[in-house]
């Protein structure tokens, strides 16, 4: 809906060409101003008011506001309501006299009590906007109502706005529509625009994009600038009319030409996307229009400029300038810009990294239901970034973002429910959230759905359905699912046994850094199973996995260095990798470390340390370590 600043036209000064002024215009054509002046100088109050109008508008005399005021005063002093209203207008806007809002109210009130409906409506504006009087919505409504009941279209529209916003009267959308309709029937373009907004939102009437479009069109054709912008949006988005990019661009241009910032932003959008402009996307021209709108304070344009500078579209990439524009939009309450500021502070993009500042902006955006911000707040509370760690609070934010459709939040909420982190464990709910995220293409959630069906957690156990989910997630690039698919193809579980397909899946997962897949490929190459034996490639895959902390590969890599399999023999490297695996509890590696300390291979000989490692390995059931301990008498 429109706000009051766009719903109320300027105070009436009586110069509209109504029937009375039309007759006066004819009289001026016939007699110029001589006849009017003679009657005015003779003391005729109506002629004095008319002569004031002549000087105010420069009708057949040199325009002179001061002289207009002189004649209005003479007429007003005789009680002429029209002159009193015109005099009030002069004081209100400082035309021909020093601006004096209290004097404006004084004369509007006299005129209104004298029956002038323009003055009634103007007086309503004074009370509404606190011009020369204390703000009083009830008194504003009182005067709007008087003007409206006498048929004043602007008064009817203004009264409709009061009902729409519940100011001075109880909020009543249906009554608002009634008054808008009365004014619209008299050709009031502001009321047509407001009525279009009602049909667009369904406030006070049954929602109808088609009727909204018709009223926007009527108002736009009468020159109402916001309606021209709105009409352009109808054509752009296909609301109430088929999409028509050229018509959208035409109406945006008309509104933009009159300085409408929203229309300037819309033109920028057209150039950025190449819609309605008759040319390919033109980011440079888009930036020019965004700058025009942003310079007028349009938050959408400011945010758009931030995106342009962040990504280097139409301008040189400049994260600092991007953050500056995001900040301007964010300060105006633009939720996406507030989120963007949070990202800037989180990663130190264009600003100094500051988790607490990021948290503040995420909170502002989250309060406006910005789902990405809600998700990020969940991450911050889960990790304890800039705030005390709290799984419970994290779960709450994930739930908010998940309910809004954020796939990452849906996945994380599923994990929290599955693990009972900060929330009661519930496998069934977890599966439901995994499914929602997976349906949006979230690959990791697809893997979780496969796990749920494979293990019967939250859903009925079903190996075939598990395979369907694993395969879907694997094709979307989830490394865990690709590894699982490799195992399934290798063993013929739920799918046809196909070692070539298995190797392809293991390779995809390994290329993404999946340590278990890398270790598996390493073993295949080491043993020459399903692939030609290549111990060098085996050592390469073991090294990749070992660096990620894969214990099996750390042990296997130690073996490679110990015996020179695929690498140059290096007992110190062997000891180092065996020790890493041993510290992680691998029994075989512990036995090997014991042997290295016993023999002094790659480390200083140390029987005490050797005995300690043999004991650790034997305690886990390693037969070689147990045999050595028996020989040593333990």
């Amino acid at each position: 809906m429109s706000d009051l600043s766009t719903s109320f036209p300027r105070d009436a000064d009586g110069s509209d060409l109504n029937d009375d002024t039309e007759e006066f215009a004819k009289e001026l054509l016939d007699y110029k101003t001589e006849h009017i002046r003679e009657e005015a100088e003779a003391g005729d109050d109506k002629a004095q008011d008319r002569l004031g109008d002549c000087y105010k508008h420069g009708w057949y005399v040199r325009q002179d506001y001061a002289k207009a005021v002189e004649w209005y005063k003479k007429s007003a002093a005789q009680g002429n309501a029209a002159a009193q209203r015109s005099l009030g207008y002069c004081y209100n806007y400082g035309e021909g006299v020093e601006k004096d809002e209290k004097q404006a109210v004084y004369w509007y009130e006299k005129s209104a009590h004298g029956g002038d409906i323009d003055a009634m409506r103007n007086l309503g504006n004074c009370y509404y906007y606190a011009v020369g009087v204390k703000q009083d919505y009830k008194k504003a409504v009182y005067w709007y109502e008087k003007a409206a009941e006498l048929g004043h279209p602007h008064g009817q529209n203004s009264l409709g706005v009061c009902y729409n916003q519940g100011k001075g009267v109880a909020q009543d959308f249906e009554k608002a529509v009634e008054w808008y309709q009365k004014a619209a029937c008299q050709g009031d373009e502001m009321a047509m625009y407001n009525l279009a907004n009602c049909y667009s939102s369904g406030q006070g009437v049954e929602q109808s994009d088609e009727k909204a479009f018709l009223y926007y069109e009527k108002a736009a054709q009468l020159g109402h600038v916001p309606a021209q912008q709105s009409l352009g949006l109808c054509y752009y988005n296909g609301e109430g009319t088929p999409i028509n990019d050229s018509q959208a661009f035409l109406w945006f241009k008309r509104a933009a030409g009159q300085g409408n910032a929203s229309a300037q932003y819309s033109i920028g959008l057209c150039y950025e996307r190449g819609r309605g402009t008759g040319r390919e996307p033109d980011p440079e021209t888009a930036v020019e229009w965004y700058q025009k709108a942003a310079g007028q304070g349009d938050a959408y344009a400011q945010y758009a400029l931030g995106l342009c500078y962040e990504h280097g579209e139409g301008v040189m990439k400049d994260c600092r300038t991007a953050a500056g524009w995001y900040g301007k939009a964010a300060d105006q309450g633009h939720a996406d810009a507030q989120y963007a500021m949070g990202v800037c502070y989180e990663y130190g993009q264009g600003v100094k990294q500051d988790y607490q500042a990021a948290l503040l902006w995420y909170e502002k955006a989250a309060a406006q239901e910005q789902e990405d911000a809600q998700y990020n707040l969940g991450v911050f509370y889960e990790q304890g970034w800039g705030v005390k760690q709290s799984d419970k609070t994290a779960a709450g934010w994930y739930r908010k973002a998940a309910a809004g459709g954020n796939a990452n939040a849906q996945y994380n909420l599923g994990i929290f429910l599955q693990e009972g982190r900060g929330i009661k464990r519930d496998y069934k709910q977890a599966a439901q959230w995994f499914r929602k995220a997976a349906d949006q293409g979230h690959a990791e959630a697809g893997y979780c759905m496969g796990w749920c069906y494979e293990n019967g957690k939250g859903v009925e156990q079903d190996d075939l359905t598990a395979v369907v989910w694993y395969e879907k997630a694997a094709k979307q690039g989830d490394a865990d699912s690709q590894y699982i698919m490799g195992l399934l193809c290798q063993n013929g579980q739920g799918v046809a046994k196909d070692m070539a397909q298995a190797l392809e899946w293991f390779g995809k997962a390994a290329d993404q850094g999946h340590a278990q897949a890398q270790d598996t490929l390493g073993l295949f190459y080491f043993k020459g199973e399903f692939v030609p034996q290549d111990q060098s490639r085996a050592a390469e895959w073991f090294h990749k996995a070992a660096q990620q902390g894969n214990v099996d590969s750390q042990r296997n890599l130690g073996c490679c260095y110990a015996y020179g399999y695929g690498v140059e023999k290096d007992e110190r490297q062997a000891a180092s990798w065996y020790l890493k695996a041993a510290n992680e509890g691998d029994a075989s590696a512990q036995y090997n470390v014991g042997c290295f300390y016993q023999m002094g291979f790659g480390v200083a000989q140390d029987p005490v340390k050797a005995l300690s490692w043999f004991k650790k390995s034997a305690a886990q059931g390693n037969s070689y370590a147990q045999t050595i301990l028996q020989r040593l008498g333990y």
Side-chain angles (χ1 to χ4, degrees), residues 563-585:
Y563 296 99
Y565 296 142
V567 293
E568 187 175 345
K569 185 176 179 178
D570 187 331
E571 290 179 348
R572 294 186 66 177
Q573 281 283 352
S576 174
W577 285 110
Y578 278 145
L579 191 58
K580 287 180 185 292
N583 283 323
E584 292 298 321

Side-chain angles (χ1 to χ4, degrees), residues 479-480 508-520 540-554 557 577 580 584:
D480 286 330
K508 288 179 182 291
D511 287 339
Q512 290 195 75
H514 193 280
Q516 285 177 284
Q518 292 169 338
D519 181 67
T520 299
E540 288 176 10
W541 284 117
F542 288 148
H543 193 269
K544 290 177 184 290
Q547 285 183 314
Q548 295 187 71
N550 183 277
V551 176
D552 290 336
S553 280
Q554 289 171 342
L557 189 58
W577 285 110
K580 287 180 185 292
E584 292 298 321

Side-chain angles (χ1 to χ4, degrees), residues 400-411:
K400 284 180 180 289
N406 184 285
N408 288 325
Q410 291 169 341
Y411 166 72

Side-chain angles (χ1 to χ4, degrees), residues 583-598:
N583 283 323
E584 292 298 321
D586 185 89
S588 294
Q590 290 169 341
Y591 166 73
N592 288 337
V593 170
C595 291
F596 271 47
Y597 274 111
Q598 185 181 45

Side-chain angles (χ1 to χ4, degrees), residues 338-406:
Q338 291 171 338
Y339 165 73
M341 284 303 297
V343 173
C344 289
Y345 278 107
E346 180 180 350
Y347 295 100
Q349 295 177 182
V351 294
K352 185 178 179 181
Q353 189 177 45
D354 185 335
Y355 282 142
Q356 289 186 335
L359 189 77
L360 176 65
W361 283 113
Y362 286 147
E363 286 175 338
K364 287 179 181 290
Q368 297 192 67
E369 307 300 327
Q370 214 281 355
E371 295 143 16
D372 291 333
Q374 292 172 334
Y375 166 72
N376 283 8
L377 281 176
V379 174
F380 268 50
Y381 276 99
E382 181 183 355
Q383 301 297 330
W385 295 340
V387 69
K388 185 177 179 181
Q389 197 280 338
S390 172
D391 282 343
K392 183 177 180 179
T393 306
W397 282 114
Y398 286 147
R399 187 177 289 279
K400 284 180 180 289
N406 184 285

Side-chain angles (χ1 to χ4, degrees), residues 118-256:
D118 281 331
M120 293 173 189
R121 192 265 178 178
N122 291 359
L123 191 55
N125 275 1
C126 290
Y127 280 108
Y128 198 101
Y129 291 112
V131 176
V133 289
K134 185 178 179 181
Q135 191 171 54
D136 189 328
Y137 292 128
K138 287 187 177 180
K139 286 186 177 179
V141 168
Y142 171 83
W143 287 109
Y144 288 150
E145 198 165 38
K146 280 190 169 293
E149 288 174 348
L150 289 170
H152 194 291
H154 292 341
Q156 292 167 338
N157 175 66
S158 299
L159 186 57
V161 171
C162 290
Y163 274 109
N164 181 272
Q165 301 198 350
K167 292 185 175 179
V169 288
Q171 191 173 49
D172 188 328
F173 294 131
E174 291 183 359
K175 282 192 175 181
V177 168
E178 287 179 19
W179 285 111
Y180 290 153
Q181 287 174 331
K182 289 179 184 291
C185 286
Q186 295 193 68
D188 187 273
E189 68 272 17
M190 190 72 71
M192 293 174 186
Y193 172 69
N194 288 345
L195 196 54
N197 286 335
C198 290
Y199 278 109
S200 178
S201 64
Q203 286 188 333
V205 289
E206 184 178 348
Q207 198 279 337
S208 172
D209 287 339
E210 290 72 20
K211 288 185 178 180
F213 169 79
L214 291 174
Y215 278 108
Y216 283 138
E217 187 175 40
K218 288 180 179 181
Q221 290 172 344
L222 289 170
H224 189 274
V225 177
Q228 293 172 341
Q229 157 66 5
S230 296
L231 184 60
L233 288 175
C234 289
Y235 279 116
Y236 190 87
N237 297 316
E239 295 174 350
T241 186
I243 289 177
N244 188 322
D245 289 344
S246 60
Q247 279 293 307
F249 189 72
L250 171 67
W251 285 106
F252 290 149
K253 287 281 281 186
R254 288 186 182 181

